[in-house]
Amino acid sequence: MLALCTLLAAGVFGLLRLRRWGWALVLGGCLTLCLGNLFVFEKTHAGPFLVQGLFALVFFLYLVRTEVRDRLR
C-alpha cells in the first residue's frame, strides 16, 4: 500500500507538470484503488469502500477522456 501511494504521489507531480508518464501513473493508481476498494466492498459489504471505489472510478473515467490525453506532452 505504501508503494502504491508513493507512485500515485509521484504521478500527481508528473500530471501537474502535464507529463505523459505522470498521467499513466495516476491512471494506473486510480484503476488499482478502484478495483481494490470494490473488492474489499464485495468481501465485507462495508459502504465506505463502495463510495471510495466509485470516487476513484470517476477520476479514472475523467483521465481516459481524449481531451485530457491531448493536453499532455
Side-chain angles (χ1 to χ4, degrees), residues 20-52:
R20 189 167 291 274
W21 59 265
W23 171 81
L25 281 174
V26 171
L27 190 70
C30 284
L31 184 62
T32 303
L33 285 174
C34 173
L35 294 175
N37 281 324
L38 293 178
F39 177 75
V40 172
F41 171 73
E42 192 266 328
K43 294 294 181 188
T44 62
H45 298 290
F49 290 109
L50 178 64
V51 173
Q52 291 174 7

Side-chain angles (χ1 to χ4, degrees), residues 1-71:
M1 188 61 147
L2 183 61
L4 177 66
C5 292
T6 304
L7 284 174
L8 197 55
V12 167
F13 177 70
L15 185 62
L16 288 174
R17 299 189 65 183
L18 295 176
R19 302 290 184 179
R20 189 167 291 274
W21 59 265
W23 171 81
L25 281 174
V26 171
L27 190 70
C30 284
L31 184 62
T32 303
L33 285 174
C34 173
L35 294 175
N37 281 324
L38 293 178
F39 177 75
V40 172
F41 171 73
E42 192 266 328
K43 294 294 181 188
T44 62
H45 298 290
F49 290 109
L50 178 64
V51 173
Q52 291 174 7
L54 292 176
F55 194 61
L57 181 64
V58 168
F59 280 128
F60 174 78
L61 292 175
Y62 175 75
L63 287 172
V64 296
R65 294 177 39 200
T66 56
E67 295 87 9
V68 174
R69 285 183 287 172
D70 290 341
R71 296 186 68 199

